[in-house]
Amino acid sequence: MTQACAAFEASNRLEPGAGTLIALGQCREKARQLASAWLAYKQAAARAKDARKHDFAAARVAELQPQLSYLTLVVPDDHRVDGMTIELAGAAIDRTLWGQPQPVDGGDPVIVVQAPGREPWRTAAHVAATRDKVRIEVPALPEQAQAAAPALAGPTQPPPAEPAAAPVSSPGMFTPMRGVAVGLAGASVIGLVAGVALGASASSKQDDAFRLCPQPATPCGQAARSNALIRASHDRAHDANIAFAIAAGAAFTAGVLWFMGAPTSEHATRVGLAPTLAPGEPGVAVWGRF
């Protein structure tokens, strides 16, 4: 799942789009990274030009918002110094956001606080996956100890011997290309499950339509309702076919990348592919360096 989400993120960086952002949101949501999913859906709703994509993304934003966990980093005024920076899980937190609750994924994100001439401070904040509110107060950073005075000049010492070169380790089984292949295999499973669910729904709606009007050639009082169910059944069947096609394409591509990504002494070729599972925008995003 992590590899699949990373593939969607890479695809969105190369060619941002509402469909890719929705797929990324779905991936993050399945991984229980609700804040990341909420942000992806929010960006998709703002970018979407297609009404279906906008409505879908906006609905997910509204549903996830009450479930988010928040982290507040409090920096008292007397603890602030010039040049102070705060990083949360490796990402810099803008000074204007200090003291403001920020939505975060569940886990144990590491907080690092640094300032020129001060000892750095770090801690891990445990945050639950949903509906948690964590408050961390940044302590005053002590000044760094003065460097020891240089020793008096003495006899010239020979320069230290250069360390021996470290042996080059052989590449592991999981190269970057094979990592993408594993992610695509996971995406293929998701597409297969979605196709089965959509196909079952299409069949159910068709059965409901025939129960309302069992004789198509005979006038039926429930004809409007029956026709609506048949149209919905056709739409679900169409979406199921798209999901199966994406699953097959992702599985085939995963197999190709697995064999192409066999470990070698150097990986001069970098290739990545990511299926897009967003409503109305199926396909495979490809990026690479050769």
Side-chain angles (χ1 to χ4, degrees), residues 52 87 131 156 219 227-229 234 247 250 255 261 286 290:
R52 289 179 60 194
E87 290 185 356
R131 297 183 174 89
T156 303
N227 289 334
L229 287 170
H234 291 167
V286 183
F290 303 89

Side-chain angles (χ1 to χ4, degrees), residues 38-62:
W38 173 82
L39 179 59
Y41 288 134
K42 191 174 181 181
Q43 293 173 345
R47 182 180 290 273
K49 297 179 181 179
D50 180 87
R52 289 179 60 194
K53 293 178 184 177
H54 175 273
D55 293 346
F56 177 84
R60 297 310 305 147
V61 168

Side-chain angles (χ1 to χ4, degrees), residues 50 89 114 119 140 153-154 186 216:
D50 180 87
Q114 301 180 85
E119 295 290 344

Side-chain angles (χ1 to χ4, degrees), residues 35-250:
S36 295
W38 173 82
L39 179 59
Y41 288 134
K42 191 174 181 181
Q43 293 173 345
R47 182 180 290 273
K49 297 179 181 179
D50 180 87
R52 289 179 60 194
K53 293 178 184 177
H54 175 273
D55 293 346
F56 177 84
R60 297 310 305 147
V61 168
E63 184 168 341
L64 288 178
Q65 181 131 21
Q67 305 178 46
L68 298 180
S69 292
Y70 291 86
L71 174 63
T72 304
L73 296 173
V74 179
V75 187
D77 291 340
D78 56 346
H79 294 179
R80 301 189 180 200
V81 296
D82 292 340
M84 175 180 281
T85 62
I86 300 180
E87 290 185 356
L88 175 64
I93 304 300
D94 191 89
R95 184 178 289 262
T96 60
L97 299 178
W98 296 358
Q100 303 296 323
Q102 299 299 312
V104 294
D105 294 327
D108 299 286
V110 175
I111 302 165
V112 179
V113 183
Q114 301 180 85
R118 304 282 179 145
E119 295 290 344
W121 178 80
R122 70 171 55 222
T123 188
H126 178 72
V127 183
T130 61
R131 297 183 174 89
D132 197 4
K133 292 183 179 180
V134 178
R135 182 179 184 275
I136 299 292
E137 181 171 323
V138 176
L141 300 183
E143 294 185 359
Q144 289 181 339
Q146 295 294 329
L152 295 176
T156 303
Q157 298 293 327
E162 294 185 0
V168 178
S169 59
S170 59
M173 175 181 178
F174 285 95
T175 63
M177 190 180 294
R178 283 192 167 185
V180 175
V182 173
L184 285 173
S188 174
V189 174
I190 294 174
L192 181 61
V193 172
V196 171
L198 289 168
S201 177
S203 178
S204 174
K205 289 184 180 297
Q206 189 176 54
D207 291 343
D208 291 343
F210 287 144
R211 277 195 290 269
L212 289 174
C213 296
Q215 298 297 329
T218 303
C220 175
Q222 298 290 333
R225 174 62 177 162
S226 176
N227 289 334
L229 287 170
I230 290 176
R231 286 193 297 271
S233 171
H234 291 167
D235 290 342
R236 294 292 173 86
H238 176 72
D239 291 343
N241 290 336
I242 292 175
F244 285 132
I246 291 175

